[in-house]
Amino acid sequence: MTEIPSNQALNTSKVMTHVFLPFAFGHCTSFIFRNMNAVLTPFLISELSLSAAQLGVLSSAYFFSFSLAQLPVGLALDRYGPKRVQLVLLGIAVIGSIMFGWGENFSTLLLARILIGLGLAACFMSSIKVLSFWIPDRKLPAIHGYLLAAGGLGAMLSTLPVAWLAEFVPWRSLFFGMAGITVMVMLAIATWVPQDPVEHKTVKIASVASLLEVYKDRAFRKVISLLLIPHTIAFGLQGLWMGKWLQDVGHYNNAMTSTYLFIGMGAVVVGSLSVGAITQWASKFNIKPMEVGGIGIALFLAIQILCALNIVPMLPALSIAFTLIGTIAGLEYTIVAQKVSPAMTGRAATCLNLLILFGAFLIQTCFGIIIDIWPQDAAGHYPPIAYQVGFGLMILLQTPGFLKWLVGVMKCGTLKSIGEEL
């Protein structure tokens, strides 16, 4: 492939304004779409009489279509470039958002949510790819950190600001407004972002055998056995059920719930930036990222046990701690890249992303089915026992992987060596 010398075509300031900002705008928008249903849950239930199971399916449909699109989107990015792919997919998201605003029944909303997930499937991957054209390798980690922060900002905007707007405008208008914002993202990318400086070649579709090679890799399986399920639980529950839990068990109103979710999304930004710093600090004491992840999962399980106890005065703090500590599971991207062979890194990242997204879909759906076993009261609240059973099952799902890791480090004497170093 031939490449235009990017350092001659764009200076640093133009890269930030003409490349980073438009794609970061898209990444931020994708997180607003991803999480805003958690705040709008009472409106959807009230107007459309959705059950908890339907609500779980509706919200998790985003993750389902998003995950199914990952492999073909990755191939399209290599073939056609991030600018063209992002514009086409964002157009699909606009259609889905308008359809969701018009939808009068569960089936229409489900199809709309699927289209939204498909349309936003390339926001993060296209950002990573386009930045690699213009940013030197040594600066990429910092730029990626800014990109993740943009996603966290979108997650924050999907909570309190959306709840505040919902007090003044119908929830359907919010989706029409999001369609307009997405069009603005498209215009920014179309007019500001320069043409990709790479002549793309047709790429071969990854074979089933090449993907199975990743899942058969011992190092890959070791990492996901500890971190995958906690990652999907942190991802899935925060995106939908944390808000409903605060309302049903803590009896907080929509405004207070949105405030706590807003703070929780801010914790995502803090946690994501902190995990890297903590991991780097721990390396000074010969503590490997896998050990940092294991200790973090122990804390995450402790938070979930407290959640299952339904201690009402602690609910707001626990909802924030759940989000903050849950970010530790994101270490698996780094660990996988370090553990597997260089030739497998790209496929491993794609396969990991698929597992996380599909897992979040299953977690959101299953949690909804579990609490739907119990009837709602006159105010539309599910009983505390429903959430106790739901959290209890989540804890049980994570326990085998954590115990396997714990037994492994105890056999190797790792925990003892950590104590001696500290």
Side-chain angles (χ1 to χ4, degrees), residues 195-208:
Q195 294 300 317
D196 300 329
V198 173
E199 293 296 333
H200 296 280
K201 294 182 178 180
T202 303
V203 294
K204 295 181 179 179
I205 298 177
S207 65
V208 174

Side-chain angles (χ1 to χ4, degrees), residues 29-106:
T29 302
S30 73
F31 268 79
I32 299 176
F33 269 117
R34 179 181 297 181
N35 296 298
M36 64 189 294
N37 272 24
V39 173
L40 299 178
T41 291
F43 301 98
L44 296 175
I45 292 177
S46 174
E47 182 170 336
L48 300 171
S49 301
L50 299 179
S51 67
Q54 287 177 318
L55 188 63
V57 172
L58 187 62
S59 184
S60 59
Y62 174 98
F63 294 111
F64 183 73
S65 61
F66 193 102
S67 61
L68 287 182
Q70 290 303 294
L71 283 178
V73 163
L75 293 171
L77 287 172
D78 286 337
R79 175 66 180 88
Y80 301 107
K83 181 174 181 177
R84 282 190 285 177
V85 171
Q86 183 72 322
L87 287 173
V88 171
L89 290 182
L90 287 177
I92 296 175
V94 170
I95 295 172
S97 187
I98 293 173
M99 184 182 296
F100 201 99
W102 274 337
E104 295 289 346
N105 54 60
F106 173 72

Side-chain angles (χ1 to χ4, degrees), residues 124 163 185 338 360 400:
F124 183 70
V185 176
Q338 293 174 339

Side-chain angles (χ1 to χ4, degrees), residues 306-367:
L306 291 174
C307 289
L309 294 176
N310 283 337
I311 306 173
V312 174
M314 294 181 62
L315 259 57
L318 288 174
S319 69
I320 296 168
F322 180 92
T323 307
L324 177 66
I325 305 301
T327 57
I328 194 70
L331 256 182
E332 61 185 330
Y333 284 110
T334 300
I335 300 173
V336 163
Q338 293 174 339
K339 292 283 187 181
V340 302
S341 64
M344 197 184 293
T345 302
R347 281 173 290 150
T350 300
C351 291
L352 180 58
N353 215 31
L354 282 171
L355 290 173
I356 292 169
L357 293 168
F358 188 65
F361 161 76
L362 291 177
I363 290 297
Q364 284 191 341
T365 302
C366 291
F367 200 89

Side-chain angles (χ1 to χ4, degrees), residues 12 27 53 60 66 70 139 153 167 177 254 270 279 301 314 337 354 364 389:
T12 302
H27 186 49
S60 59
F66 193 102
Q70 290 303 294
K139 293 185 178 181
L153 176 62
E167 297 294 328
N254 199 44
V270 174
T279 305
L301 283 169
M314 294 181 62
L354 282 171
Q364 284 191 341
V389 174

